[in-house]
Amino acid sequence: MGSEEEPSQMRRALVDALAGAISGGISRTVTSPLDVIKIRFQVQLEPTTSWGVLRRDVYGPSKYTGLLQASKDILREEGLPGFWRGNVPALLMYMPYTAIQFTVLHKLKTFASGSSKTEDHLHLSPYLSYVSGAIAGCAATVGSYPFDLLRTILASQGEPKVYPDMRSAFLDIMKTRGFRGLYAGLTPTLVEIIPYAGLQFGSYDTFKRSMMTWNRYRYSHLNSGSEDDSVSSFQLFLCGFAAGTFSKAACHPLDVVKKRFQIEGLKRHPRYGARIESSTYKGMYHALKEIVAKEGFGGLYKGLFPSLVKSAPAGAVTFVAYEYISDWIGSKAGVE
């Protein structure tokens, strides 16, 4: 019995990993332009909106002041490829990230429910969905973090480039900051990812259960007692959209702190604003205090709008693509 289950579990893990990697790659590539804009906002010390004009006595004039203005500037100065700057390390980060995340998530839910069937996982306690999502997010973050750091550096540097490619950025970080430099900002990232991944996966499962309940109620009234609770592609998209919006809005300040740690010491052109010197922030709590003191409370939410515009469809695309790709690969591989 055990020898039969082991190959089946291995196939299931491979299906989850492959479906997670493909769905993550699709989502990341589609939403890259918004991610680049979000990062530019997050690492800019100057105000990013007109309401922050009162803070301009602290720093110089702002390079980016809005989503449309930033889009026009990047297009004019860097061309269309500028919107996909850092996308290669982002894919190298996001594809293994989603692969690890969905694999660990499925394993945890299988352990908790005693079944590897996805439909049985929906009957788990909502709390277990949140905890499973948080643990899966931590595992995926640690496994893929250096690529996240390289992605942030390449996406934030602008023109002229400090690093022409990922290899040069990697070598310079190793030379100037050592191996630990590849994990700069990991602590606020883990502090962020625990509630973020927990909220994303937990709320997705909650929204999906609610949608299934709604479908049962609707079909029982329309089709003479039929209780079809299957969820359509559009409904899955809505669940992913809502989960992405909710989780990102709740955890955005910690993402800003992470980005600041990741680009400490980066020598960008002066037109991109004040440089974040090495050791500017002594720790996560100190960074939060400094940002609020010098940039106002709104400094913690720089880049929130493009982040939400990106994260909501990104979450939707990831979940929908994963569900369909996982079902398709699973059917081909004979995995339930």
Side-chain angles (χ1 to χ4, degrees), residues 66-312:
L67 185 62
L68 185 60
Q69 179 269 332
S71 301
K72 288 178 179 177
D73 260 27
I74 293 171
L75 184 62
R76 185 181 68 251
E77 295 172 359
E78 304 167 47
L80 202 57
F83 290 107
W84 277 268
R85 181 157 288 174
N87 196 48
V88 172
L91 287 174
L92 291 174
M93 178 273 291
Y94 207 67
M95 291 180 75
Y97 178 91
T98 47
I100 295 169
Q101 190 175 43
F102 279 108
T103 303
V104 172
L105 185 71
H106 192 275
K107 276 288 184 187
L108 289 169
K109 287 185 174 181
T110 297
F111 176 77
S113 66
S115 169
S116 63
K117 294 182 179 179
T118 305
E119 55 267 28
D120 292 334
H121 295 172
L122 286 171
H123 302 302
L124 286 171
S125 159
Y127 299 109
L128 280 172
S129 292
Y130 284 90
V131 172
S132 298
I135 295 172
C138 284
T141 297
V142 173
S144 61
Y145 190 80
F147 293 110
D148 184 21
L149 181 129
L150 291 169
R151 177 277 304 254
T152 298
I153 287 174
L154 292 178
S156 65
Q157 63 182 347
E159 289 286 352
K161 293 179 183 177
V162 178
Y163 304 113
D165 51 38
M166 187 170 65
R167 181 175 174 274
S168 63
F170 171 78
L171 292 175
D172 188 61
I173 290 168
M174 289 294 289
K175 180 181 175 182
T176 57
R177 294 199 258 177
F179 181 75
R180 290 183 63 182
L182 294 174
Y183 285 87
L186 179 62
T187 299
T189 302
L190 289 176
V191 173
E192 174 205 5
I193 207 65
I194 290 171
Y196 176 70
L199 287 171
Q200 187 182 37
F201 283 94
S203 58
Y204 177 75
D205 283 349
T206 300
F207 294 142
K208 189 175 177 183
R209 287 191 195 98
S210 300
M211 201 65 77
M212 291 171 72
T213 302
W214 162 248
N215 286 345
R216 278 197 298 271
Y217 172 79
R218 186 178 56 167
Y219 284 116
S220 66
H221 283 71
L222 293 177
N223 299 327
S224 306
S226 170
E227 291 194 357
D228 182 10
D229 65 356
S230 57
V231 184
S232 68
S233 302
F234 181 66
Q235 288 176 327
L236 286 175
F237 184 87
L238 288 178
C239 291
F241 192 94
T245 302
F246 178 56
S247 54
K248 181 54 73 175
C251 302
H252 188 79
L254 290 168
D255 193 39
V256 171
V257 172
K258 176 184 82 170
K259 295 295 190 297
R260 297 293 177 88
F261 275 112
Q262 287 180 330
I263 69 146
E264 274 191 332
L266 179 66
K267 298 175 179 142
R268 297 197 300 168
H269 192 280
R271 73 163 170 259
Y272 289 95
R275 175 183 166 187
I276 301 175
E277 301 294 341
S278 298
S279 304
T280 296
Y281 306 120
K282 297 179 177 63
M284 185 179 68
Y285 181 65
H286 179 254
L288 288 167
K289 281 197 346 182
E290 283 290 293
I291 291 170
V292 172
K294 294 182 178 177
E295 303 167 49
F297 187 73
L300 296 175
Y301 289 90
K302 282 181 175 177
L304 178 62
F305 182 63
S307 180
L308 289 179
V309 173
K310 171 226 163 189
S311 295

